[in-house]
Short mmCIF file of all heavy atoms in Angstrom, two decimals:
data_model
loop_
_atom_site.label_atom_id
_atom_site.label_comp_id
_atom_site.label_asym_id
_atom_site.label_seq_id
_atom_site.Cartn_x
_atom_site.Cartn_y
_atom_site.Cartn_z
N LEU O 44 -1.71 -21.85 -26.14
CA LEU O 44 -0.76 -21.07 -26.92
C LEU O 44 0.65 -21.24 -26.36
O LEU O 44 0.89 -21.06 -25.17
CB LEU O 44 -1.13 -19.59 -26.85
CG LEU O 44 -2.43 -19.20 -27.56
CD1 LEU O 44 -2.77 -17.76 -27.22
CD2 LEU O 44 -2.28 -19.38 -29.05
N PRO O 189 -13.94 -22.00 -7.73
CA PRO O 189 -14.25 -23.29 -8.35
C PRO O 189 -14.45 -23.20 -9.86
O PRO O 189 -14.45 -24.23 -10.54
CB PRO O 189 -15.54 -23.72 -7.65
CG PRO O 189 -16.15 -22.45 -7.16
CD PRO O 189 -15.00 -21.56 -6.81
N TYR O 212 -16.77 2.04 -5.89
CA TYR O 212 -16.13 3.26 -6.38
C TYR O 212 -16.95 4.51 -6.07
O TYR O 212 -16.38 5.56 -5.74
CB TYR O 212 -15.85 3.16 -7.88
CG TYR O 212 -14.53 2.50 -8.19
CD1 TYR O 212 -14.45 1.12 -8.37
CD2 TYR O 212 -13.36 3.24 -8.28
CE1 TYR O 212 -13.23 0.51 -8.63
CE2 TYR O 212 -12.14 2.64 -8.54
CZ TYR O 212 -12.08 1.28 -8.71
OH TYR O 212 -10.88 0.67 -8.96
N VAL O 234 -5.40 6.75 -18.15
CA VAL O 234 -5.96 5.42 -18.35
C VAL O 234 -5.82 4.65 -17.05
O VAL O 234 -4.76 4.65 -16.42
CB VAL O 234 -5.23 4.64 -19.47
CG1 VAL O 234 -5.84 3.25 -19.65
CG2 VAL O 234 -5.28 5.39 -20.78
N LYS O 245 -17.81 -21.97 -20.72
CA LYS O 245 -16.52 -22.38 -21.29
C LYS O 245 -16.51 -22.02 -22.77
O LYS O 245 -17.44 -22.38 -23.51
CB LYS O 245 -16.31 -23.88 -21.10
CG LYS O 245 -16.08 -24.28 -19.65
CD LYS O 245 -15.79 -25.77 -19.53
CE LYS O 245 -15.50 -26.15 -18.09
NZ LYS O 245 -15.22 -27.60 -17.93
N ALA O 319 -16.67 8.36 -15.87
CA ALA O 319 -17.37 9.45 -15.20
C ALA O 319 -16.40 10.54 -14.75
O ALA O 319 -16.80 11.70 -14.58
CB ALA O 319 -18.15 8.92 -14.00
N ASN O 321 -14.00 11.50 -16.69
CA ASN O 321 -13.45 11.98 -17.97
C ASN O 321 -12.10 11.35 -18.28
O ASN O 321 -11.24 11.99 -18.90
CB ASN O 321 -13.31 13.51 -18.00
CG ASN O 321 -14.62 14.22 -17.76
OD1 ASN O 321 -15.68 13.73 -18.15
ND2 ASN O 321 -14.56 15.37 -17.12
N ASP O 369 -12.53 17.32 -20.01
CA ASP O 369 -12.67 18.19 -18.84
C ASP O 369 -13.28 19.54 -19.23
O ASP O 369 -14.18 20.05 -18.55
CB ASP O 369 -11.30 18.42 -18.19
CG ASP O 369 -10.84 17.24 -17.34
OD1 ASP O 369 -11.66 16.34 -17.07
OD2 ASP O 369 -9.66 17.25 -16.93
N LYS O 402 -27.42 -29.75 -23.28
CA LYS O 402 -28.19 -29.48 -22.07
C LYS O 402 -28.94 -30.76 -21.70
O LYS O 402 -29.61 -31.36 -22.53
CB LYS O 402 -29.16 -28.32 -22.29
CG LYS O 402 -28.46 -26.97 -22.44
CD LYS O 402 -29.47 -25.84 -22.57
CE LYS O 402 -28.77 -24.48 -22.63
NZ LYS O 402 -28.16 -24.12 -21.35
N ARG O 419 -14.13 -30.21 -28.75
CA ARG O 419 -14.88 -29.95 -29.99
C ARG O 419 -15.17 -28.46 -30.12
O ARG O 419 -16.24 -27.98 -29.75
CB ARG O 419 -16.19 -30.75 -29.99
CG ARG O 419 -15.99 -32.26 -30.01
CD ARG O 419 -17.31 -32.97 -29.72
NE ARG O 419 -18.34 -32.56 -30.67
CZ ARG O 419 -19.65 -32.69 -30.44
NH1 ARG O 419 -20.08 -33.19 -29.29
NH2 ARG O 419 -20.52 -32.30 -31.35
N VAL O 425 -23.92 -15.84 -32.04
CA VAL O 425 -24.50 -15.25 -30.84
C VAL O 425 -25.10 -13.88 -31.16
O VAL O 425 -24.41 -13.03 -31.74
CB VAL O 425 -23.42 -15.12 -29.74
CG1 VAL O 425 -23.96 -14.35 -28.54
CG2 VAL O 425 -22.93 -16.50 -29.32
N ASP O 434 -30.89 5.82 -21.96
CA ASP O 434 -32.02 5.30 -21.19
C ASP O 434 -32.52 6.39 -20.24
O ASP O 434 -33.50 7.06 -20.52
CB ASP O 434 -31.59 4.04 -20.44
CG ASP O 434 -32.74 3.32 -19.79
OD1 ASP O 434 -33.90 3.71 -20.02
OD2 ASP O 434 -32.50 2.34 -19.04
N ALA O 448 -27.47 22.00 5.15
CA ALA O 448 -26.38 21.95 6.13
C ALA O 448 -26.41 20.69 6.98
O ALA O 448 -25.35 20.20 7.40
CB ALA O 448 -26.44 23.19 7.03
N TRP O 453 -20.96 15.02 5.89
CA TRP O 453 -20.65 13.70 5.31
C TRP O 453 -20.68 13.73 3.79
O TRP O 453 -19.89 13.03 3.14
CB TRP O 453 -21.56 12.62 5.87
CG TRP O 453 -22.99 12.62 5.44
CD1 TRP O 453 -24.06 13.15 6.09
CD2 TRP O 453 -23.51 12.04 4.24
NE1 TRP O 453 -25.21 12.94 5.39
CE2 TRP O 453 -24.91 12.25 4.25
CE3 TRP O 453 -22.95 11.35 3.17
CZ2 TRP O 453 -25.74 11.82 3.22
CZ3 TRP O 453 -23.79 10.92 2.15
CH2 TRP O 453 -25.16 11.14 2.17
N VAL O 477 -35.58 26.72 -5.87
CA VAL O 477 -34.89 25.47 -6.16
C VAL O 477 -35.83 24.56 -6.96
O VAL O 477 -37.02 24.84 -7.12
CB VAL O 477 -34.46 24.73 -4.87
CG1 VAL O 477 -33.60 25.62 -3.99
CG2 VAL O 477 -35.67 24.21 -4.10
N ARG O 507 -39.70 26.67 -3.23
CA ARG O 507 -38.80 27.56 -2.50
C ARG O 507 -38.43 26.87 -1.20
O ARG O 507 -39.29 26.33 -0.51
CB ARG O 507 -39.44 28.92 -2.25
CG ARG O 507 -39.55 29.74 -3.55
CD ARG O 507 -39.86 31.19 -3.31
NE ARG O 507 -39.81 31.93 -4.57
CZ ARG O 507 -38.72 32.48 -5.07
NH1 ARG O 507 -37.56 32.41 -4.39
NH2 ARG O 507 -38.74 33.13 -6.22
N LEU O 595 -57.59 7.37 6.69
CA LEU O 595 -57.19 8.37 7.67
C LEU O 595 -55.92 9.10 7.23
O LEU O 595 -55.77 10.31 7.47
CB LEU O 595 -56.98 7.72 9.03
CG LEU O 595 -58.25 7.18 9.72
CD1 LEU O 595 -57.88 6.53 11.04
CD2 LEU O 595 -59.28 8.28 9.92
#
Side-chain angles (χ1 to χ4, degrees):
L44 292 171
Y212 273 90
V234 180
K245 290 184 177 180
N321 302 327
D369 282 349
K402 291 183 176 291
R419 296 168 56 201
V425 173
D434 189 7
W453 72 263
V477 304
R507 289 194 174 272
L595 292 178

